[in-house]
Amino acid sequence: MIVKIAYAREAELKPLIPLLKNEIDTRGFTFELIKVDREDELKFYLDKVDLVYIPLPILNFAQNLSILSNGSYVSTGLRLQLLSSTAKRVLVPGSNSTEFYLVKMLYNSGITPVISGDYDAKVTYDTGDVDLLNLWNNVCQNSPLILKVLATKRLDEQIILQLKVLIRESASKMVEKNEVSIFSKELGLKGRSAIECFFKLCREKNLCSNVSYRLV
């Protein structure tokens, strides 16, 4: 079976590298990668491909999605670099990116997203003036920072469960190499709680409404 996977950033694919390189037994599955240039367009691929790496805020707009508990894109750092004392426009991967929502929820609710063009602040993952990860930890009790999850609208339960085994095995190899977070291998209770905390905060800030998804 050919499984089509849409993504926007190469870093998202790290948990899948051993699987994509056939370093583990793929059990009859082959994978076709589809690179999406604009992250905000990922939501349009949910009906076109089998798996999509989506930012958490997309779950606010898409219904009937199954979220895999394996293969998530997890960050070990998130900061905001300020280029002005009155930051109003922040450079982010997408207007529906998890990063942008975290900036709005944790730092400044009035800030607007910029994908290209002029900006006076930008999201980084290592150095910066505002430690968004620390702010997140204070609110969500040191939960992992999950930026994207693997979602499907088309695959049935049996196929999802088969793929989960492969993705978990693949991510496990990357955890051993210290290339990805252990939560990329399996969200576990802390990872699931992190997603719940994100949407709880999102609703409190009136950025999300009735979010529904099925975590498999």
Side-chain angles (χ1 to χ4, degrees):
M1 176 181 175
I2 299 175
V3 178
K4 295 182 179 181
I5 305 175
Y7 70 104
R9 302 180 234 171
E10 297 297 331
E12 299 162 14
L13 298 177
K14 274 191 174 184
L16 308 183
I17 287 176
L19 180 59
L20 298 174
K21 290 186 174 181
N22 294 311
E23 294 175 3
I24 63 175
D25 183 359
T26 63
R27 296 171 176 84
F29 289 98
T30 57
F31 300 89
E32 179 182 334
L33 299 178
I34 300 171
K35 177 72 178 293
V36 179
D37 292 330
R38 293 178 60 86
E39 184 163 299
D40 284 335
E41 295 179 0
L42 284 167
K43 57 181 175 289
F44 301 122
Y45 282 78
L46 288 165
D47 292 310
K48 300 178 182 178
V49 303
D50 302 299
L51 291 170
V52 184
Y53 265 109
I54 61 166
L56 294 183
I58 296 297
L59 295 171
N60 191 40
F61 309 106
Q63 302 296 317
N64 303 317
L65 291 184
S66 294
I67 305 302
L68 278 64
S69 64
N70 317 100
S72 298
Y73 176 37
V74 182
S75 181
T76 56
L78 188 65
R79 289 179 173 269
L80 187 66
Q81 183 177 344
L82 303 176
L83 307 177
S84 168
S85 58
T86 56
K88 296 180 180 179
R89 293 164 57 82
V90 58
L91 183 67
V92 288
S95 59
N96 288 315
S97 64
T98 305
E99 291 93 328
F100 174 59
Y101 271 58
L102 287 170
V103 172
K104 283 183 72 72
M105 294 189 300
L106 299 172
Y107 177 70
N108 180 359
S109 61
I111 206 162
T112 57
V114 175
I115 312 304
S116 62
D118 296 332
Y119 56 89
D120 45 35
K122 67 177 182 179
V123 165
T124 67
Y125 302 91
D126 41 28
T127 59
D129 304 285
V130 181
D131 189 343
L132 294 169
L133 178 60
N134 185 53
L135 295 176
W136 163 260
N137 285 335
N138 290 337
V139 174
C140 292
Q141 301 175 343
N142 297 311
S143 296
L145 189 56
I146 300 161
L147 299 182
K148 287 190 173 183
V149 290
L150 270 174
T152 181
K153 198 173 183 179
R154 308 200 317 175
L155 297 177
D156 62 34
E157 182 88 3
Q158 183 180 5
I159 297 299
I160 293 174
L161 293 178
Q162 292 178 46
L163 287 173
K164 277 173 55 67
V165 173
L166 297 179
I167 294 169
R168 180 183 175 85
E169 184 178 347
S170 179
S172 179
K173 288 184 173 292
M174 296 303 285
V175 170
E176 291 172 2
K177 296 177 181 179
N178 292 318
E179 292 288 335
V180 301
S181 164
I182 191 172
F183 297 102
S184 293
K185 173 184 172 183
E186 172 62 57
L187 288 176
L189 291 177
K190 286 197 72 172
R192 292 165 186 256
S193 295
I195 295 176
E196 292 173 0
C197 187
F198 177 88
F199 287 115
K200 178 178 181 292
L201 183 60
C202 193
R203 287 190 295 270
E204 289 174 354
K205 300 295 183 178
N206 296 316
L207 295 173
C208 294
S209 53
N210 296 319
V211 177
S212 65
Y213 58 90
R214 188 171 68 101
L215 193 54
V216 183

